[in-house]
Amino acid sequence: MKQPIYGVMAEFESPTALVTATRAAVAKGYKKMDAYTPFPIEELSDALHLHRNKLPLMVLIGGIIGGMLGFALQYFVTVMYYPINIGGRPLLSWPAYIIITFELTILFAALTAVFGLFALCGLPMPYHPTFNVPRFEFASRNRFFLCIESTDPLFDRAKTCEFLETLEPREVSEVAH
Amino acid sequence: MMAQAVDFNITPELRGELRGVRTKALILGVLGAAASAAGFFMEGPNQFYRSYLWSFLYVLALSLGPLTWLVLQYVTGGAWGVITRRSCEAAARTLPLVAVMFLPIVIGINNLYPWAHANLVAADPLLQHKAPYLNLPFFLGRAAFYFAGWLFLGWWFNHWSAKEDTLGHEAVHSKMSRMAGPGLLFIGFSVTFMAVDWILSVDPKWFSTIFGLLCIVSQNLTAMAFLIALMVFLSARKPMSDIITHRHLHDMGKFMLALVMVWAYFSFSQFLIIWAGNLPEEIPWYIARLNHGWQYVALALVFGHFALPFALLLSRDLKRNFKLLGSIAVFILLMRFVDLYWLITPGFRKDSFGVSWLDFTVPIGLVGLWLAWFLTQLEKRSLIPPHALHLEETLAHGRE
């Protein structure tokens, strides 16, 4: 019995080859995979169906919570705790609240965007199995990698390797945990 | 590769359809104008000119807003600009008609502006103080100057765009790009002063420094909503059905969202500063607009002109859905009527909310006539400039 692995990785020499391979893998039915490139490739995101994620919804909810907190903060201060008559205006002078409500909406939405991104990416991540592949450092230079992970329901150590070999990669290697 | 494959000219079917719309617009326009002329005698000139002023400003936005977008795109570029350029040019060619439509306001100055009455000015030191700016010859001179500039810009960009079709882009590029910067500067200043002259001076003692910018934003929002509605209409018909992609529309939807937000931002800043200051020379303007029933119109603006379109336009899917985005654009075009009505009419009706039947017939008349003129201009040229800069990229936008 061999050690369980993280997945198998194929190395490609051009972005076009990678995109073609990714499309083929998706068409074959693989779901758990990721691609690694030195620069962003629009088509790759399309091929991996990466355009949809939960971040916009999280940012929206974060913004709404921030807005409500901002309004509540001022309400409690100016109406409940320190009810002071200013220029004969009502205590609940909502027009004056709007700026801080707006600012806190933006603040919370922005913080949700940053930390939500970290959370969805699984950051901070001091260790990742893909770095066990010696040539993987070229992913930040001039090589393009596609890794099919072992958690995929269709994953089979030998068959997935064979499949990747058919996509004309430069090299296919197993990724140890 | 696409450039040779697609014919940009209006197809005979589309021409027939546009002429059908034009005939309807013309009939509505003539009927509206006739009813308004009858209203001039039935309801009196005061009511006529009051309805006319805000309706005229709507039509002005429909032609001046697209001119601004047209000039802007020679500064910024962008795929959406190439797609809408011919429509903007056609709208800019309606400016002579809009200049003619300004004449009734010239005739009705006495019915609209208190500073034009010698006895009122004589009795009011503040108006005397403002008389060096707010007097009849200078007012008319400024209006002539604005129109001269707008007509010139409209002519310039149309003229060289037509030359581009025969001579190619290289020959005319410097003409367009050299005029674009100064042109934008002129539009910015002229619309600011125009807003002071034609809108604010209804209430000559009130002032707001952000009002000119608010007017520019409103005009550009009107224009963008109109362009989106037009593009959605054209995208269902050849040849534009082969050209417009959801990404073009997405870009324009983003502009509309941004403008809805800027409109709300400027409107609210103006309100907040005056509300917080609560000074006797500033606050009456808002007291008139937030009492006696007018507050419901203001609330309708907060929800219909900002909250609803803002919330809907946040959605990426919606901005890529032709029908939904088109519906929102039409809704915003309707809200623009409400906003102008709320800006202008309480200046004359301080004590009670009210709508005259002329407030329906005059805008129908003016917009109908304008639309008929616009469609006549639109069908004169191909729907996409065939030698535009970045045409290939524009056509590939959204097809990668």
Side-chain angles (χ1 to χ4, degrees):
Chain A
M1 175 82 194
K2 286 198 267 186
Q3 285 279 317
I5 55 167
Y6 175 76
V8 286
M9 183 180 267
E11 176 185 342
F12 297 92
E13 291 191 337
S14 76
T16 326
L18 175 65
V19 172
T20 316
T22 309
R23 284 193 185 131
V26 170
K28 186 94 177 171
Y30 287 108
K31 291 191 172 61
K32 293 273 179 188
M33 68 181 117
D34 211 344
Y36 305 87
T37 60
F39 49 84
I41 301 172
E42 179 86 5
E43 290 89 343
L44 199 58
S45 308
D46 285 329
L48 287 167
H49 302 296
L50 282 183
H51 279 304
R52 303 269 152 195
N53 59 55
K54 293 191 186 113
L55 198 58
L57 183 67
M58 286 163 64
V59 173
L60 178 69
I61 294 172
I64 291 173
I65 290 175
M68 292 197 304
L69 279 178
F71 197 91
L73 169 80
Q74 296 168 87
Y75 178 81
F76 282 109
V77 168
T78 57
V79 179
M80 313 283 280
Y81 300 144
Y82 301 97
I84 297 169
N85 184 331
I86 301 168
R89 293 197 181 82
L91 289 176
L92 179 65
S93 285
W94 62 268
Y97 295 180
I98 296 290
I99 294 176
I100 290 171
T101 306
F102 172 76
E103 297 293 352
L104 279 186
T105 308
I106 303 297
L107 177 69
F108 273 63
L111 289 179
T112 315
V114 173
F115 291 106
L117 177 73
F118 283 4
L120 289 181
C121 295
L123 292 172
M125 190 186 291
Y127 172 79
H128 196 277
T130 47
F131 287 99
N132 291 330
V133 177
R135 290 186 55 84
F136 188 66
E137 65 186 75
F138 289 101
S140 57
R141 284 197 219 162
N142 57 356
R143 290 288 190 272
F144 305 84
F145 293 86
L146 177 68
C147 178
I148 299 182
E149 291 154 27
S150 60
T151 47
D152 194 286
L154 285 181
F155 186 83
D156 179 283
R157 205 160 170 162
K159 279 185 189 161
T160 305
C161 272
E162 269 170 43
F163 166 69
L164 283 178
E165 290 288 359
T166 64
L167 301 173
E168 296 169 10
R170 189 182 179 279
E171 188 178 298
V172 173
S173 43
E174 294 191 338
V175 186
H177 260 301
Chain B
M1 68 311 174
M2 292 282 294
Q4 283 75 40
V6 182
D7 183 8
F8 300 132
N9 290 313
I10 297 180
T11 59
E13 297 84 49
L14 179 61
R15 194 176 295 274
E17 210 170 341
L18 287 178
R19 289 200 174 152
V21 177
R22 188 181 70 183
T23 310
K24 281 179 202 148
L26 191 62
I27 292 171
L28 269 178
V30 169
L31 286 179
S36 308
F40 182 88
F41 298 103
M42 289 159 70
E43 299 286 312
N46 275 345
Q47 180 58 53
F48 173 82
Y49 288 121
R50 287 165 191 180
S51 305
Y52 194 91
L53 177 60
W54 71 266
S55 312
F56 168 77
L57 289 166
Y58 194 91
V59 173
L60 181 72
L62 282 177
S63 50
L64 207 50
L67 176 67
T68 316
W69 287 111
L70 178 65
V71 178
L72 180 72
Q73 64 139 311
Y74 290 107
V75 179
T76 63
W80 57 273
V82 179
I83 292 291
T84 59
R85 196 171 114 192
R86 279 290 139 92
S87 310
C88 289
E89 287 170 3
R93 290 202 298 275
T94 64
L95 276 165
L97 174 76
V98 177
V100 172
M101 284 176 172
F102 183 68
L103 292 179
I105 291 180
V106 174
I107 299 166
I109 283 178
N110 271 310
N111 302 77
L112 291 169
Y113 302 109
W115 52 261
H117 292 266
N119 54 339
L120 286 178
V121 176
D124 195 329
L126 205 54
L127 287 186
Q128 286 164 23
H129 182 68
K130 296 195 179 199
Y133 185 80
L134 288 177
N135 62 69
L136 195 57
F138 195 26
F139 178 90
L140 294 178
R142 285 194 305 268
F145 181 63
Y146 309 148
F147 270 114
W150 300 333
L151 286 166
F152 170 74
L153 285 175
W155 171 81
W156 181 271
F157 285 97
N158 268 293
H159 175 74
W160 290 110
S161 177
K163 288 269 186 229
E164 186 194 65
D165 288 1
T166 48
L167 302 175
H169 181 75
E170 292 301 318
V172 299
H173 180 77
S174 64
K175 304 278 182 195
M176 311 252 221
S177 57
R178 250 183 239 164
M179 190 55 77
L184 271 186
L185 208 61
F186 176 79
I187 291 174
F189 278 106
S190 61
V191 175
T192 303
F193 279 93
M194 176 224 91
V196 172
D197 285 5
W198 302 352
I199 309 176
L200 287 195
S201 78
V202 166
D203 207 335
K205 292 181 190 170
W206 190 70
F207 51 86
S208 164
T209 43
I210 209 170
F211 198 83
L213 286 173
L214 184 59
C215 189
I216 294 173
V217 168
S218 304
Q219 284 188 345
N220 288 331
L221 176 61
T222 312
M224 189 44 77
F226 175 72
L227 289 173
I228 288 178
L230 183 68
M231 290 306 124
V232 169
F233 173 85
L234 291 175
S235 69
R237 291 150 178 88
K238 276 188 178 294
M240 290 298 255
S241 53
D242 300 330
I243 297 165
I244 298 179
T245 66
H246 57 282
R247 269 184 78 177
H248 295 130
L249 214 62
H250 189 185
D251 290 347
M252 295 173 74
K254 285 184 226 171
F255 273 120
M256 192 158 74
L257 172 62
L259 285 166
V260 162
M261 291 197 287
V262 178
W263 175 87
Y265 173 72
F266 285 174
S267 305
F268 184 76
S269 325
Q270 178 181 285
F271 169 72
L272 182 66
I273 289 167
I274 290 175
W275 174 87
N278 208 15
L279 297 173
E281 60 265 39
E282 288 179 339
I283 200 74
W285 196 83
Y286 273 109
I287 291 179
R289 278 156 187 81
L290 294 173
N291 282 296
H292 307 298
W294 290 109
Q295 69 269 37
Y296 302 112
V297 184
L299 270 180
L301 285 173
V302 170
F303 284 101
H305 203 306
F306 169 65
L308 184 68
F310 169 74
L312 291 174
L313 286 172
L314 281 179
S315 156
R316 181 175 189 266
D317 293 336
L318 190 148
K319 286 197 285 273
R320 291 174 164 240
N321 183 318
F322 283 58
K323 270 193 178 158
L324 282 175
L325 192 68
S327 317
I328 295 179
V330 170
F331 182 71
I332 288 178
L333 283 174
L334 292 175
M335 290 315 292
R336 290 298 315 139
F337 280 112
V338 181
D339 184 41
L340 279 173
Y341 189 70
W342 181 77
L343 274 183
I344 306 249
T345 313
F348 302 113
R349 290 175 181 263
K350 289 199 167 68
D351 305 322
S352 70
F353 169 77
V355 184
S356 161
W357 59 271
L358 276 168
D359 289 322
F360 294 96
T361 59
V362 178
I364 289 174
L366 287 185
V367 175
L369 292 175
W370 182 87
L371 195 61
W373 186 285
F374 169 79
L375 290 172
T376 309
Q377 296 297 331
L378 184 67
E379 70 169 50
K380 281 187 181 168
R381 296 184 183 177
S382 63
L383 285 173
I384 298 280
H387 300 297
L389 195 63
H390 307 310
L391 183 63
E392 304 258 311
E393 293 148 53
T394 302
L395 295 176
H397 193 55
R399 292 178 209 278
E400 297 92 350

